[in-house]
Amino acid sequence: MTRSAVECLNECRSNLGPAPRSFDFLDKRRYARIPRPEWIAAAEPLQEILRQQNTLLREGRLVWASLVQANELLFRPGGHDHPSTVIYSPDTAAFDDDPDRLRGIARALYALKGTGQEDAELAAFSRTLASEMEYEMRMRVPQSLAGDAEVYCTDIIVSRRHLPDGVLRSPLFPLIIHPEKTAMTMMLPSRYWPNELIETERPPA
């Protein structure tokens, strides 16, 4: 990115606008909202994202998210949406201009996947990440990985309509959160991203 991370995130905030927001009915129906995936019946925790997305779009705020793991189908063209695991922090002062720090924590979490851990908190993450069908919402990342930072791990639904070209390529992207009302989160649709972020999501020409 030619601009700083905080400048890009602030442009996202400006593009989305201050809360409470209103959306054209058809725009929200056809683009901003996550459509109901066919597989969602078997993923009860993720259904709450669909129920809370109007609140997130209308009242939520933006932070950086870093990918921990995702359904591999999202990394190539396709017609379906899939879940992903991400981490984020509501502490904008700590991460707005340093999303790479968040990325480092995400890598450390992924390294736990399927490993034996004596620490109960680390063992829980190891088990959850290895399961890939055990969904967790707003799980606090242990201090041994995040330090004093307030960092949470959560599952989201990645909607291809919200990605540039419908393919997930970057491990960092803006996330809508509203912890005062819900533990659910959702990716900011790429229509509200600055060009720098969109270009990082596109393959080289």
Side-chain angles (χ1 to χ4, degrees), residues 15-198:
N15 292 343
L16 184 60
R21 306 174 192 93
S22 60
F23 294 83
D24 176 86
F25 175 77
L26 290 179
D27 182 60
K28 184 163 67 173
R29 184 83 174 182
R30 295 176 179 174
Y31 177 69
R33 282 175 55 88
I34 302 168
R36 185 178 180 84
E38 295 178 358
W39 47 262
I40 197 72
E44 169 59 34
L46 296 182
Q47 293 181 36
E48 186 64 16
I49 296 174
L50 302 181
R51 291 189 282 265
Q52 295 294 333
Q53 61 180 325
N54 282 345
T55 298
L56 290 167
L57 288 167
R58 186 174 61 250
E59 303 175 22
R61 60 184 185 270
L62 292 178
V63 297
W64 287 115
S66 181
L67 192 68
V68 178
Q69 66 178 10
N71 188 303
E72 63 180 14
L73 295 175
L74 286 169
F75 300 122
R76 55 181 183 266
H80 300 286
D81 301 336
H82 299 282
S84 297
T85 303
V86 303
I87 61 168
Y88 70 93
S89 174
D91 185 353
T92 56
F95 292 98
D96 270 17
D97 206 29
D98 193 12
D100 286 340
R101 179 184 171 195
L102 206 60
R103 185 71 191 124
I105 298 170
R107 291 192 189 100
L109 266 183
Y110 185 76
L112 294 174
K113 183 177 178 177
T115 62
Q117 299 290 329
E118 293 184 3
D119 180 270
E121 290 183 309
L122 298 181
F125 275 100
S126 173
R127 182 183 65 254
T128 299
L129 292 172
S131 166
E132 297 188 359
M133 292 299 291
E134 183 179 335
Y135 301 108
E136 293 288 345
M137 303 300 178
R138 207 168 184 266
M139 194 174 180
R140 181 76 182 256
V141 176
Q143 282 191 330
S144 58
L145 298 181
D148 293 334
E150 183 183 359
V151 179
Y152 296 95
C153 185
T154 197
D155 288 298
I156 65 172
I157 301 170
V158 176
S159 179
R160 289 186 185 272
R161 67 167 67 168
H162 293 165
L163 291 168
D165 302 326
V167 178
L168 181 62
R169 294 189 176 94
S170 173
L172 294 168
F173 49 82
L175 190 75
I176 308 176
I177 68 170
H178 195 353
E180 295 81 8
K181 288 195 173 180
T182 179
M184 305 301 111
T185 64
M186 65 183 288
M187 176 186 286
L188 176 69
S190 63
R191 179 180 296 177
Y192 303 99
W193 298 9
N195 289 334
E196 287 90 338
L197 287 183
I198 291 174

